[in-house]
Amino acid sequence: MEMDIDDSCKARGEEERAKPIVVILMGAPGSGKSTFCEHVIRSSARSWVRVCQDTINNGKAGTKVQCLTNAVSALKEGKSVFIDRCNLEKEQRVDFVKLGSPQVEVHAVVLDLPAKLCISRSVKRTGHEGNLQGGKAAAVVNRMLQKKELPKLSEGFSRIMFCQNESDVKAALDTYSGFGPLDTLSHGSFGQKKPDTKVQLGIMKFLKKVEAPSNAGASASSIQGSAASQIIEEKNSCCGGKETASSLSHTAGEEVRGCQDPGVGSTSRNGSSSDGPILAFPSISTADFQFDHEKASDIIVEKVEESMDKLGNAKLVLVDLTRGSKILSLVRAKAAQKNINPKKFFTFVGDITKLYSEGGLRCTVIANAANWRLNPGGGGVNAAIFNAAGPALEVATKEQAKTLVPGSAVVVPLPATSPLSSKEGVTHVIHVLGPNMNPHRPNCLDGDYVKGCHVLQKAYTSLFEGFLSIVSTQAKLSQESNEKIKLEPSQSQGHSKDGPRNHSPTGDQKNKRDGVREHEISKKCKGSQNEVGTSINSFRAGKVNAENDKRDVSTSKAWGSWAQALYHIAMHPERHKDILLDILDDVVVLNDLYPKAKKHLLVLTRCDGLDCLEDVRKEHLQLTKTMHAVGLKWAEKFLDEDASLVFRLGYHSVPSMRQLHLHVISQDFNSKLLKNKKHWNSFTTAFFRDSVDVIEEISNEGKATLKDDDRLLSMELRCHRCKSAHPNIPRLKSHISNCRAPFPTSLLQNDRLVLAPSNTNNP
DNA sequence: GTTCTAGAAC
DNA sequence: GTTCTAGAAC
């Protein structure tokens, strides 16, 4: 008999002795964090260490790294830790959340008390350890509270207590004072009476910090296992063993039978979590919606094939209840024909709601062939999933979306209270609505397979994108937590020797900086604010639609520090006068630092919140026109100097550098800095979106089409004029230096190329 | 042996 | 985005 997840976890939990925990306090100065700690420490049976940034450095203020180091060593000694610093912004607490592990839970206690109270306490206070006294305190508290981002379970907390008045604080004190070394506290988010969504959203808009669907706004009693926390749990779960790829290495020609093959079951049951997440999905529309199986199987295989490159270590599994089902055999045959990697995609016979408990296959994400109302009823997979998941799924689903249009999908983080989560290890359900060919069901396409195939393709695209968005969040989180644990202790030693000069910008300093930024935004970019809000809402809702919501995946994109240079220039042009060719109200102009042609300029928007083409919407139409006009002016200036040049103006579909910028680049590509395939293809394939087309699309459709397929950048090297192929960059460059073929007609249309009037390429 | 690419690190 | 470099390609 196989143990289910709960049992095995319990068994292990009982073997071990006291488990230390980390409690991250959050609150403005004067909210009572230190008092809280002292009170608990005095009366608790646990052994606590209070890590206070204000005093950590021999009674003086220290660094965050010092705090982390001290916390790590306290945990090693089996002591529980209070992190006593403001921690009001998510970014400030993220590293402390990473102190958590399967053995160490991370809790949050939010002292979300009225600002007035905090201020009056701070002002009155004398001899406070952080030396925050007097009139300055009011300003500091206010400024900090403006930045307040209430914690969410998705950040990695297993428990959050919100305290909004003194009696809440008392309750939290009692909870932790009486929290003995062997006790456990229930997981979830407690005490949030008035979810501060308005403030949250404002800050989110401004900072563009978009997270996986969260529980902000959930009722006080809701215990929502959110994406991040569950994934981390999953990753380090006591049930997660090692899996070798071979345990899943069934050829596409094989059918993996669930519960009837104990061998398969026992090897793969532990593995998927350590070897990458798995999406289990039913065939969409082929059951009740009566979609042609032959056509559906083509589409499944086609869409699976498209996703292969993006999967990383994730896997896709097509699941069907019945052995020898037609759709499974068709898909298997076609997948084998196309040489689709059977380790990344295979078929499985079993109940999609019991893949782990009965089939030994651990799938963290399952897809549901939903109905348009997202109702539990009906039959088949939909009824089975809603039944198995219990009411929690229904509630979580309704929080995300009310209805679904054919061809779209919605990602629903599954609350930890759902049996599907606890028994099967499912963290997310993705509802997908496919096309309907059944006249007895809504939206029947009446045999129109042109449309039907299109909708089914969209449905799978949406499904796989939804899955990939979950995977990328997971990958990022686990990578970060691994890195930090390894890095921080050694770094911290170095820092402590250097003394407090190496402080990361926290507190006052950072607030000042951000204050300036906020001011600039409200001044400069009123138009875009609503827009950013919209995108956040759609992300929060977890909707994924192949047609218009790719941004859901990328809004969460993290920009590396190296990718911020343009952003800094755009925000503070006055500091970069030496490299700027022009500073205008809405844009600045500069030479590309690494020009890929004789002339290569960037026209950079000054609007905060516009990171890339994907963020551009109708509100930015005028801005894109301005950028084009400015770029054109410069191109024409260069053409005056050298009439042989030809310019193209456009955007990269997915830029490497943050902050929307228009490339103005001469088509000679005569630059030793053009070194690799990516350089070449980013300017000569569909990845490069002509400014004129972008403007037209924004005007007509409200947004630009992106060609963000990675394959574009690794395509064979072809001359941009005669389209001849070349084996490597040096050979290509030697060719283009001599090629005088006319430009392709597509480029000669619609003013995509900018030429001197005398140029013979001019049609 | 040299050239070139592609992936990791920054 | 670049730089660095191992190893593939020649």
Side-chain angles (χ1 to χ4, degrees):
Chain A
M1 184 65 194
E2 292 162 330
M3 265 198 300
D4 75 8
I5 302 170
D6 276 348
D7 290 343
S8 64
C9 287
K10 265 184 228 149
R12 234 180 80 182
E14 279 159 12
E15 277 167 26
E16 287 171 18
R17 297 192 317 114
K19 279 188 179 180
I21 62 164
V22 175
V23 177
I24 301 182
L25 287 150
M26 291 161 211
S31 59
K33 298 182 295 294
S34 302
T35 315
F36 185 95
C37 298
E38 282 158 12
H39 192 111
V40 172
I41 291 170
R42 264 204 306 274
S43 45
S44 171
R46 267 175 189 261
S47 177
W48 287 94
V49 168
R50 168 177 164 242
V51 173
C52 172
Q53 187 158 348
D54 287 340
T55 57
I56 198 162
N57 195 14
N58 289 327
K60 287 185 244 156
T63 64
K64 182 173 155 189
V65 173
Q66 283 176 309
C67 294
L68 285 163
T69 315
N70 282 20
V72 167
S73 34
L75 289 171
K76 272 189 197 151
E77 294 168 21
K79 292 177 178 164
S80 294
V81 175
F82 278 121
I83 305 296
D84 179 3
R85 59 204 285 284
C86 296
N87 295 313
L88 285 170
E89 292 171 67
K90 193 185 143 203
E91 199 183 315
Q92 293 167 349
R93 51 192 183 244
V94 62
D95 289 330
F96 294 98
V97 175
K98 288 174 194 152
L99 293 166
S101 70
Q103 283 73 41
V104 179
E105 286 186 6
V106 180
H107 296 189
V109 172
V110 189
L111 300 175
D112 191 17
L113 299 165
K116 259 189 188 172
L117 178 64
C118 300
I119 292 167
S120 70
R121 282 182 189 163
S122 294
V123 172
K124 278 182 209 154
R125 176 180 307 185
T126 53
H128 172 265
E129 291 152 336
N131 200 25
L132 184 62
Q133 302 163 29
K136 248 170 74 180
V140 171
V141 170
N142 275 326
R143 214 157 44 204
M144 283 185 151
L145 286 175
Q146 274 172 15
K147 302 279 183 296
K148 178 178 72 177
E149 294 169 276
L150 293 178
K152 290 170 282 180
L153 293 171
S154 60
E155 289 174 35
F157 297 106
S158 50
R159 178 186 171 90
I160 301 174
M161 282 187 91
F162 291 96
C163 306
Q164 292 174 324
N165 54 45
E166 288 299 336
S167 69
D168 291 348
V169 176
K170 176 78 172 49
L173 272 174
D174 291 344
T175 301
Y176 283 95
S177 297
F179 181 42
L182 294 168
D183 296 341
T184 52
L185 286 173
S186 50
H187 291 189
S189 176
F190 303 92
Q192 194 174 12
K193 297 176 192 71
K194 261 194 315 186
D196 204 352
T197 43
K198 204 173 162 192
V199 171
Q200 283 283 89
L201 257 186
I203 291 166
M204 302 276 267
K205 268 185 205 170
F206 155 55
L207 291 172
K208 268 204 103 179
K209 280 181 185 162
V210 182
E211 269 309 304
S214 79
N215 71 322
S219 70
S221 60
S222 105
I223 299 175
Q224 186 157 355
S226 58
S229 61
Q230 288 203 6
I231 287 160
I232 290 171
E233 234 171 72
E234 171 75 18
K235 181 101 187 147
N236 303 322
S237 147
C238 49
C239 312
K242 285 262 189 275
E243 183 220 36
T244 55
S246 64
S247 67
L248 291 173
S249 63
H250 313 284
T251 66
E254 272 177 54
E255 187 175 84
V256 181
R257 174 78 183 172
C259 42
Q260 292 197 353
D261 184 349
V264 171
S266 54
T267 47
S268 62
R269 64 169 297 147
N270 291 336
S272 49
S273 59
S274 62
D275 196 40
I278 305 183
L279 165 70
F281 64 100
S283 169
I284 305 296
S285 289
T286 47
D288 195 34
F289 284 178
Q290 300 176 356
F291 199 94
D292 180 80
H293 286 214
E294 194 69 54
K295 293 187 172 72
S297 57
D298 282 334
I299 290 169
I300 292 172
V301 174
E302 173 198 326
K303 288 292 157 186
V304 164
E305 193 182 23
E306 271 180 31
S307 316
M308 280 292 123
D309 292 344
K310 304 175 202 158
L311 277 177
N313 65 346
K315 302 180 180 75
L316 304 174
V317 188
L318 176 67
V319 176
D320 197 286
L321 195 55
T322 42
R323 188 171 192 88
S325 90
K326 188 179 165 196
I327 192 76
L328 284 199
S329 19
L330 284 170
V331 167
R332 271 200 312 279
K334 287 171 183 173
Q337 222 168 31
K338 287 201 167 192
N339 280 327
I340 288 180
N341 184 347
K343 287 177 190 169
K344 287 180 151 188
F345 172 64
F346 53 97
T347 61
F348 193 92
V349 176
D351 182 341
I352 198 163
T353 66
K354 294 171 186 162
L355 291 173
Y356 181 64
S357 55
E358 289 189 357
L361 181 67
R362 174 172 268 254
C363 300
T364 49
V365 184
I366 63 173
N368 175 32
N371 55 50
W372 75 277
R373 285 184 191 279
L374 291 166
N375 274 346
V381 171
N382 185 62
I385 289 180
F386 272 102
N387 271 335
L393 176 62
E394 216 180 319
V395 175
T397 300
K398 292 298 174 192
E399 267 177 32
Q400 305 293 357
K402 299 277 179 282
T403 59
L404 218 49
V405 292
S408 64
V410 56
V411 175
V412 178
L414 191 63
T417 48
S418 164
L420 258 191
S421 165
S422 51
K423 292 214 172 83
E424 303 294 325
V426 174
T427 64
H428 294 76
V429 174
I430 306 180
H431 298 293
V432 194
L433 183 61
N436 171 36
M437 293 297 175
N438 179 350
H440 302 297
R441 297 281 176 268
N443 299 318
C444 177
L445 288 175
D446 216 13
D448 181 355
Y449 270 99
V450 176
K451 198 165 177 193
C453 288
H454 180 64
V455 174
L456 191 60
Q457 285 166 339
K458 272 172 52 186
Y460 280 108
T461 305
S462 303
L463 168 61
F464 295 154
E465 274 180 7
F467 176 55
L468 289 169
S469 72
I470 298 168
V471 171
S472 64
T473 315
Q474 170 185 19
K476 224 182 99 197
L477 279 167
S478 65
Q479 189 194 351
E480 278 175 6
S481 58
N482 287 343
E483 275 170 9
K484 289 286 170 182
I485 286 163
K486 272 183 279 175
L487 282 175
E488 296 285 0
S490 61
Q491 279 180 350
S492 64
Q493 279 166 6
H495 279 217
S496 54
K497 271 180 209 151
D498 295 344
R501 272 184 204 288
N502 279 345
H503 291 189
S504 55
T506 53
D508 206 31
Q509 233 182 337
K510 185 170 183 341
N511 286 327
K512 266 183 209 155
R513 204 179 51 202
D514 287 350
V516 173
R517 232 174 90 196
E518 182 169 40
H519 178 64
E520 280 174 5
I521 296 155
S522 52
K523 193 174 66 188
K524 293 233 172 282
C525 204
K526 284 173 192 140
S528 72
Q529 294 263 331
N530 293 335
E531 158 45 33
V532 176
T534 312
S535 82
I536 286 166
N537 287 333
S538 73
F539 181 77
R540 288 163 63 86
K543 277 189 186 171
V544 183
N545 187 309
E547 208 164 60
N548 57 20
D549 253 331
K550 285 211 162 175
R551 51 194 343 222
D552 284 350
V553 177
S554 70
T555 325
S556 57
K557 171 172 180 170
W559 300 90
S561 57
W562 50 263
Q564 310 277 2
L566 293 178
Y567 174 75
H568 293 312
I569 293 170
M571 292 303 110
H572 300 287
E574 73 285 357
R575 296 181 196 165
H576 303 273
K577 281 183 180 150
D578 49 335
I579 55 160
L580 291 177
L581 302 173
D582 207 352
I583 304 180
L584 303 167
D585 283 347
D586 299 314
V587 299
V588 296
V589 183
L590 65 155
N591 277 312
D592 192 303
L593 192 57
Y594 297 92
K596 305 298 185 296
K598 278 184 187 166
K599 294 290 179 193
H600 184 183
L601 296 184
L602 302 179
V603 180
L604 183 63
T605 176
R606 296 179 65 182
C607 176
D608 198 344
L610 266 190
D611 289 350
C612 56
L613 191 53
E614 197 181 5
D615 295 334
V616 174
R617 287 297 181 272
K618 205 143 198 168
E619 303 89 297
H620 310 111
L621 180 61
Q622 188 49 52
L623 175 65
T624 53
K625 286 182 176 174
T626 303
M627 292 171 77
H628 186 86
V630 172
L632 201 57
K633 195 195 81 183
W634 280 89
E636 280 162 359
K637 174 175 140 53
F638 291 132
L639 288 172
D640 282 343
E641 295 161 13
D642 182 352
S644 72
L645 295 174
V646 176
F647 282 93
R648 210 173 155 196
L649 279 63
Y651 301 88
H652 283 157
S653 286
V654 182
S656 300
M657 304 291 283
R658 176 183 178 189
Q659 192 69 357
L660 182 71
H661 53 279
L662 173 72
H663 290 270
V664 179
I665 185 165
S666 61
Q667 296 296 294
D668 49 83
F669 295 111
N670 181 355
S671 162
K672 61 179 186 195
L673 296 169
L674 196 161
K675 291 175 176 171
N676 60 44
K677 205 173 236 188
K678 186 176 172 185
H679 290 157
W680 178 255
N681 284 333
S682 70
F683 288 104
T684 59
T685 67
F687 186 86
F688 189 83
R689 303 286 298 118
D690 287 283
S691 173
V692 282
D693 296 337
V694 165
I695 290 171
E696 196 182 345
E697 285 165 357
I698 295 167
S699 171
N700 294 338
E701 298 153 43
K703 61 183 165 40
T705 313
L706 303 178
K707 307 282 181 187
D708 60 349
D709 191 332
D710 281 351
R711 285 173 296 188
L712 282 173
L713 294 179
S714 46
M715 267 172 40
E716 59 189 341
L717 298 165
R718 284 189 179 274
C719 172
H720 60 311
R721 300 180 73 135
C722 72
K723 293 292 162 192
S724 58
H726 300 270
N728 54 43
I729 290 286
R731 300 269 285 273
L732 171 78
K733 289 176 98 169
S734 114
H735 167 83
I736 57 170
S737 66
N738 296 313
C739 183
R740 290 291 164 267
F743 284 93
T745 41
S746 62
L747 287 186
L748 293 169
Q749 294 162 349
N750 295 353
D751 297 317
R752 292 187 180 101
L753 290 182
V754 181
L755 311 98
S758 57
N759 193 314
T760 47
N761 267 308
N762 207 343

